[in-house]
Amino acid sequence: MRVVILKKFSMKLYYISTTRAVRPRWLLEEMGIPYELISVTMPMTQQPEYRQLHPHGKVPVLVDDDITIFESAAICAYLADKYPEKGLAPFPGTPARGYYYQWLFYAPLTLETPVEKFLFHVLPDLPEKLLPNKQYTQVSTPELKQWFTKVCEPLNEVLRDHNYLVDNRFSAADVVTGGVLLWALKLGMLKEDNPVKAYITQLMERPAFLAADEDVYAKIDV
Ligand SMILES: N[C@@H](CCC(=O)N[C@@H](CS)C(=O)NCC(=O)O)C(=O)O
């Protein structure tokens, strides 16, 4: 099957369920913004037409009028800023904005690293276009769980007496962080009862979250 890229001026999200594409879809659902969901498959992302959208053939990609953006956290940040009236990003220049950036970057850079490496242990045949698989399996699963526990510590600290990460108000930083924690939960990396587990459990009850991934409760076999 060929991917046909039509240039229409509406918001389009290129999506595969259970992937990082759930994050911007969840945010769009939270905001109630109309968007066109373009479901693609892994083989479709490898075609030259799709490479025009994403240089490495990955999801998600957001096409909004004449701009095309990849990277799930960047898409979420863009959307939250584009619709300030939805209240999902603190105002620029405020202390809350600083903490918002902190968690928005912490999730994909620091929190996700051991989770992604763990995923490559569990699903060693996942397509990988950037690094050879062995790069992902050099650390053992017990070491990865230990690493993950450490990177959860600052989150547990904040979430011990808050429901959300920034000013105790739901924001795009919770969507990106929740997206990473969802994977960790499904992979069995979040066994212990702690504030992080309570947080992701509570996020998973949000109607927008459930609308964003029909396979949200699909378990990954470990
Ligand atoms: N850092 C990127 C990662 C994108 C990514 O790796 N997406 C995966 C799905 S979660 C993908 O498209 N994999 C398909 C492939 O590599 O062929 C983001 O957050 O958007």
Side-chain angles (χ1 to χ4, degrees):
M1 200 185 293
R2 286 168 62 82
V3 186
V4 180
I5 297 160
L6 297 172
K7 194 79 182 158
K8 275 199 298 177
F9 292 126
S10 64
M11 187 117 58
K12 291 183 175 68
L13 180 68
Y14 288 79
Y15 174 85
I16 300 177
S17 71
T18 73
T19 68
R20 294 171 177 92
V22 169
R23 302 168 194 176
R25 187 179 181 193
W26 174 12
L27 191 67
L28 283 161
E29 291 289 338
E30 291 281 355
M31 296 194 302
I33 300 297
Y35 62 97
E36 188 182 340
L37 191 73
I38 307 211
S39 287
V40 290
T41 60
M42 294 284 180
M44 283 161 89
T45 64
Q46 293 177 27
Q47 293 175 11
E49 291 91 338
Y50 193 83
R51 297 282 170 136
Q52 289 169 30
L53 298 174
H54 194 301
H56 304 133
K58 290 180 180 273
V59 289
V61 170
L62 183 85
V63 179
D64 184 22
D65 282 345
D66 52 357
I67 64 163
T68 300
I69 322 172
F70 53 87
E71 282 299 323
S72 54
I75 295 171
C76 289
Y78 166 79
L79 289 170
D81 280 353
K82 179 164 178 175
Y83 300 98
E85 71 281 7
K86 303 290 177 185
L88 291 171
F91 290 117
T94 60
R97 183 72 170 202
Y99 291 114
Y100 168 76
Y101 281 139
Q102 172 184 292
W103 295 121
L104 203 59
F105 285 71
Y106 191 82
L109 290 173
T110 306
L111 187 66
E112 191 168 83
T113 310
V115 179
E116 189 187 47
K117 286 179 191 287
F118 192 92
L119 183 73
F120 273 87
H121 270 280
V122 176
L123 300 171
D125 297 327
L126 276 185
E128 185 42 54
K129 297 164 184 160
L130 300 181
L131 283 174
N133 281 354
K134 63 175 168 20
Q135 292 280 342
Y136 285 89
T137 51
Q138 280 164 351
V139 191
S140 69
T141 49
E143 285 170 323
L144 288 168
K145 283 188 180 172
Q146 237 176 350
W147 179 357
F148 179 67
T149 301
K150 276 201 184 133
V151 294
C152 281
E153 277 166 13
L155 290 171
N156 275 319
E157 192 67 34
V158 176
L159 296 168
R160 198 153 285 128
D161 42 28
H162 294 92
N163 289 332
Y164 304 111
L165 292 172
V166 184
D167 271 1
N168 213 12
R169 288 186 56 187
F170 182 77
S171 74
D174 295 298
V175 170
V176 178
T177 307
V180 177
L181 293 175
L182 170 68
W183 274 13
L185 187 75
K186 285 186 175 194
L187 288 165
M189 298 178 87
L190 261 177
K191 294 253 190 265
E192 201 188 316
D193 281 332
N194 57 24
V196 163
K197 190 165 178 187
Y199 168 71
I200 182 61
T201 307
Q202 173 214 333
L203 290 179
M204 285 172 75
E205 285 164 10
R206 296 179 75 88
F209 180 94
L210 295 170
D213 190 352
E214 47 286 334
D215 297 324
V216 89
Y217 288 114
K219 248 188 135 289
I220 298 172
D221 271 341
V222 273

